[in-house]
Amino acid sequence: MVTMINSFKKINIPDQWFFCNPLETENYKIVKKLTKKTGIVFFNNNLKKNEDFIKNIKPFIHLCQKNRIMFLIQSSLYWANKFKAIGILIDLNNNPLINMVNLRTIKKKFLLATKVHNNVEALNCRDWINISFISNIYNTSSHPKRRNLNIYEVLMLSKTLRSRINFGLGGLTKKKFHRVKNKWLYGFGAISYFKK
């Protein structure tokens, strides 16, 4: 864990993050097995099913609170506040939150995280995010058409975002993470890794 100071309080950030879609019911068993050493990013690829997402997320939130697991919620200041998330995952390409509110104001209460795929995105977000997930490191079944980054690109993105806490994302395991780890890349996020 790494310690981050936000709004004058210390937060111990886990070095592994499970990207969890609560609409996939088998993920509940995975979350039941996790400890506070792993954080959770709740996401939903289909924003049209937002009502189902909120309904299904409640038992997951209860588990997180019971087991003191840190979690981020995708794109919603309201739900992050209601469920007492430590932060919000913001989609740089499709998020009304970016245009509606002052992100520096939100940062006083929540950590802000995003996925970064290239240098343009890294430069655009580095002034307001706390956590970045650099993606895709390796090929994944969830995003099979997305080009994965080479080691040099991972290093350059990590360096551009060096004042943030950076994680690798995409097809990673502990073993694969050690192949791309650098002094600015703290840990990794995954889906399949936690399903074994």
Side-chain angles (χ1 to χ4, degrees), residues 8 10 15 43 55-56 84 89 103 114 129 143-144 159 175 177 189 195:
F8 308 106
K10 290 183 180 180
D15 62 357
F43 77 98
K55 185 174 87 178
N56 289 8
K84 297 181 175 50
L89 178 71
L103 296 174
T114 194
I129 60 162
H143 294 93
K159 188 175 180 183
K175 186 176 180 179
F177 173 69
K195 292 188 173 185

Side-chain angles (χ1 to χ4, degrees), residues 125-171:
C125 72
R126 71 178 175 180
D127 291 336
W128 54 265
I129 60 162
N130 304 103
I131 297 172
S132 73
F133 291 95
I134 296 171
S135 176
N136 274 13
I137 307 290
Y138 293 102
N139 291 328
T140 67
S141 57
S142 57
H143 294 93
K145 294 181 181 177
R146 185 171 289 152
R147 181 184 76 82
N148 49 320
L149 303 166
N150 62 46
I151 298 242
Y152 176 76
E153 290 172 306
V154 173
L155 178 64
M156 289 296 93
L157 288 173
S158 302
K159 188 175 180 183
T160 299
L161 296 161
R162 65 184 169 269
S163 59
R164 308 291 162 238
I165 297 179
N166 303 312
F167 297 90
L169 180 64

Side-chain angles (χ1 to χ4, degrees), residues 53-110:
F53 175 77
I54 297 305
K55 185 174 87 178
N56 289 8
I57 202 174
K58 290 179 181 177
F60 288 87
I61 298 293
H62 177 71
L63 272 179
C64 289
Q65 291 168 341
K66 178 182 168 189
N67 296 326
R68 298 184 307 164
I69 295 172
M70 290 185 183
F71 61 93
L72 306 169
I73 290 183
Q74 175 184 348
S75 303
S76 175
L77 178 59
Y78 175 80
W79 292 109
N81 195 48
K82 181 173 177 66
F83 292 135
K84 297 181 175 50
I86 64 154
I88 302 169
L89 178 71
I90 295 176
D91 182 343
L92 292 173
N93 301 314
N94 184 24
N95 195 332
L97 193 62
I98 292 174
N99 301 320
M100 290 173 50
V101 293
N102 183 335
L103 296 174
R104 284 179 177 76
T105 302
I106 295 175
K107 269 179 79 168
K108 292 177 182 173
K109 184 166 184 180
F110 298 102

